[in-house]
Amino acid sequence: MTTSDRASAPDRTSDGPGAADADGLLAEQLLRLTRRLHRIQKHHLEPVGITPAQSRLLRTVAHFGEPPRMADLAARLEVVPRAVTSLVDGLEAGDRVRRVPDPSNRRVIRIELTDAGRATLRELRSARRAAAEDILAPLTVDQREVLGGLLSALVDRGPEGGC
C-alpha cells in the first residue's frame, strides 16, 4: 500500500463511519467469496455425482473411529438431525454409506462407509484440490500463507454469540 493509498483508505482504528463502512465491505466480500467457493466446489463435485453437503457428511463419517450415530453426525456438522437423514438417504441411494444397527443397542442406527464411499472419498480429494487451486490461483504462495493465518484466526475463534 502506498502513502497515498493509506491516506485515502478508511480509518479502521476509529469507531467512526469509515470503519463501519470498511467492515461492511469486508463482510460483503467474505459473503461473495463464500458463494463463489460454493459454486466452484459444486462444479468440481458434479463429475463425482455428489453435492457439497454430501461431501462434507461423507468426510465426517470417515473421520470417526467407528461408525457414528446420526445424532453424532448432526452435532459434528452443526445441523438438525433431519438434515443428516436427508444426506444419508442420498448417500445410501448411491451405495456410499449404509445404515447398520449398533451392536450393543439395536434401537441405535450407525452410519458406515461402503467400498464405494471410500472410493468416492479418494475422488473428493482430487476434486477439492482442483477447486482450491481454482479459487487460490491469483494468490502467491506467501499470500496463501497469510490468508491461511487470517482464516485460522477467524475460524478458530469459535461461535461466541454467533448466529
Side-chain angles (χ1 to χ4, degrees), residues 10-108:
D11 180 6
R12 297 183 56 81
T13 60
S14 71
D15 290 331
D21 291 347
D23 287 346
L25 176 61
L26 187 57
E28 179 59 31
Q29 287 174 310
L30 286 170
L31 289 171
R32 287 177 47 213
L33 178 60
T34 300
R35 288 191 289 271
R36 184 165 179 243
L37 282 167
H38 188 77
R39 278 192 313 273
I40 288 172
Q41 183 182 26
K42 189 175 179 179
H43 170 76
H44 283 280
L45 292 177
E46 281 176 3
V48 180
I50 197 168
T51 67
Q54 289 173 331
S55 166
R56 188 169 174 232
L57 181 89
L58 202 60
R59 290 189 329 265
T60 302
V61 170
H63 282 100
F64 276 89
E66 63 180 5
R69 298 173 307 139
M70 300 277 259
D72 298 330
L73 291 168
R76 178 81 53 96
L77 295 170
E78 298 178 348
V79 298
V80 296
R82 177 71 191 125
V84 171
T85 300
S86 297
L87 292 171
V88 168
D89 288 346
L91 289 169
E92 192 172 39
D95 192 38
R96 292 181 170 108
V97 298
R98 70 177 141 254
R99 289 172 167 93
V100 296
D102 184 295
S104 62
N105 183 347
R106 292 185 325 175
R107 293 176 297 178
V108 173

